[in-house]
């Protein structure tokens, strides 16, 4: 049995391995029009935030190669981007330079935020929470560093459902085999022989045993968030071509929003 610290290190190492390959998929999204669909969805989801100072301070948790940080910086947000993988942060900075934007970058884990209470008006992340060693603590930290009236926006899927549902496991296997036949191993963010290092920790993640987004909704309510809502995103955000699109067949992407009370 891994300790939480050991699990965190395995997760970090896995994303270190994947950073350059994953960045290639993000660059593709920036070039093929997918990013513009994300921009529109982000703009709509973050409309109407009513923090007392009315600032536009956003924390991008698990920024990876920086897609959300880039889009929000282009829209005039004051962006801070964090990630547990230094290699991912390096890719984010390269992609930001390519796009002509700048934002603050810090090496940090989602469940151990080194920010003062109420530091941000919104927190965003994509495909991050399923990989967190302590998602409950991460959500508690998000609540703490949000300003009153601030909003949390989480895009994710039940990416671990295959570990508890044989039908989902079979569907995922079929989808991935089809994807590999079409794209080959070059369509992955790591080499097949690196799987154990890159993703072997999936089985030890806390959310492997939880149905999502139901678990997230309940956790956020217990922590104190209000106006919690879930919707499943438009297919244009996760196209059939590319690294993430095939997961729609077994782990559809949901958008989860929740507000911190003003009081």
């Amino acid at each position: 049995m891994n300790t939480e610290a050991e699990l965190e290190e395995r997760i970090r190492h896995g994303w270190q391995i994947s950073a350059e390959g994953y960045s290639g998929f993000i660059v593709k999204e920036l070039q093929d029009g997918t990013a513009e669909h994300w921009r529109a969805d982000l703009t709509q989801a973050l409309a109407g935030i009513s923090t007392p100072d009315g600032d536009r301070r956003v924390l991008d948790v698990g920024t990876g190669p920086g897609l959300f940080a880039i889009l929000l910086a282009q829209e005039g947000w004051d962006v801070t981007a964090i990630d547990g993988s230094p290699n991912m942060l390096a890719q984010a900075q390269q992609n930001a330079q390519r796009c002509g934007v700048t934002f603050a970058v810090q090496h940090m884990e989602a469940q151990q935020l080194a920010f003062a209470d109420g530091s941000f008006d919104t927190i965003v992340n994509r495909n991050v929470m399923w990989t967190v060693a302590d998602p409950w603590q991460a959500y508690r930290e998000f609540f703490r560093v949000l300003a009153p009236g601030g909003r949390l926006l989480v895009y994710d899927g039940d990416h671990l459902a295959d570990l508890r549902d044989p039908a989902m496991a079979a569907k995922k296997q079929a989808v991935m085999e089809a994807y590999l036949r079409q794209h080959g191993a070059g369509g992955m963010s790591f080499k097949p022989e690196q799987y154990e290092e890159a993703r072997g920790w999936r089985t030890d993640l806390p959310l492997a045993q939880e149905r999502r987004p139901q678990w997230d909704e309940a956790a956020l309510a217990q922590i104190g968030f209000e106006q919690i809502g879930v919707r499943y995103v438009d297919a244009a955000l996760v196209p059939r071509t590319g690294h993430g699109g095939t997961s729609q067949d077994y782990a559809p992407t949901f958008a989860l929003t929740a507000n911190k009370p003003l009081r």
Side-chain angles (χ1 to χ4, degrees):
M1 177 66 70
N2 291 283
T3 66
E4 184 175 313
E6 289 170 336
L7 179 57
E8 286 180 10
E9 181 54 38
R10 291 171 63 206
I11 296 168
R12 186 180 304 112
H13 180 64
W15 291 119
Q16 287 280 89
I17 292 171
S18 302
E20 185 175 358
Y22 187 39
S23 186
F25 302 124
I26 298 305
V27 171
K28 185 176 184 297
E29 286 188 291
L30 288 164
Q31 295 174 341
D32 69 5
T34 304
E36 293 310 309
H37 292 291
W38 280 113
R39 186 194 307 278
D41 204 86
L42 284 166
T43 299
Q44 181 178 4
L46 297 179
I49 296 174
S50 57
T51 53
D53 295 333
D55 294 330
R56 288 165 61 83
R57 305 164 299 171
V58 58
L59 176 65
D60 181 12
V61 175
T63 190
L67 176 62
F68 278 12
I70 290 167
L71 295 177
L72 291 168
Q74 289 173 336
E75 294 300 307
W77 287 83
D78 178 7
V79 180
T80 299
I82 68 169
D83 203 284
S85 162
N87 287 355
M88 285 291 189
L89 292 174
Q91 294 295 326
Q93 290 175 304
Q94 290 179 25
N95 291 332
Q97 185 176 19
R98 182 183 291 111
C99 294
V101 297
T102 59
F103 45 81
V105 170
Q106 294 193 46
H107 179 214
M108 198 179 301
E109 298 290 348
Q111 62 268 38
Q112 299 165 350
L113 301 181
F115 302 111
D117 296 359
S119 294
F120 298 97
D121 300 282
T122 189
I123 296 173
V124 300
N125 61 68
R126 179 175 76 147
N127 293 335
V128 170
M129 293 307 298
W130 74 271
T131 75
V132 174
D134 189 344
W136 175 270
Q137 180 59 25
Y139 277 145
R140 284 176 57 89
E141 281 288 271
F142 296 170
F143 188 86
R144 181 182 66 79
V145 304
L146 274 173
R151 182 169 302 160
L152 172 65
L153 173 58
V154 173
Y155 294 94
D156 210 349
D158 194 357
H159 296 295
L160 303 171
D162 58 295
L163 298 177
R164 60 181 186 275
D165 184 337
M168 284 295 163
K171 183 178 287 190
K172 178 179 179 179
Q173 182 67 24
V175 165
M176 295 312 297
E177 287 176 357
Y179 181 83
L180 289 172
R181 285 195 299 271
Q182 180 179 355
H183 300 280
M188 301 173 64
S189 61
F190 51 87
K191 298 177 181 177
E193 62 268 24
Q194 294 176 303
Y195 179 83
E196 187 56 36
E197 281 187 279
R199 298 292 184 273
W201 35 263
R202 292 177 77 248
T203 57
D204 296 324
L205 292 170
L207 291 180
Q209 307 305 318
E210 305 292 346
R211 292 183 63 222
R212 303 186 64 213
Q214 293 88 338
W215 180 89
D216 305 72
E217 293 177 274
L220 293 175
Q222 290 180 48
I223 289 167
F225 282 97
E226 296 181 343
Q227 297 174 273
I228 300 165
V230 176
R231 61 184 169 83
Y232 284 87
V233 305
D234 188 276
L237 297 177
V238 276
R240 297 296 305 170
T241 56
H243 177 63
T246 54
S247 67
Q248 285 298 94
D249 290 320
Y250 56 85
T253 299
F254 58 79
L256 174 66
T257 55
N259 292 349
K260 182 173 179 175
L262 274 168
R263 59 183 183 279

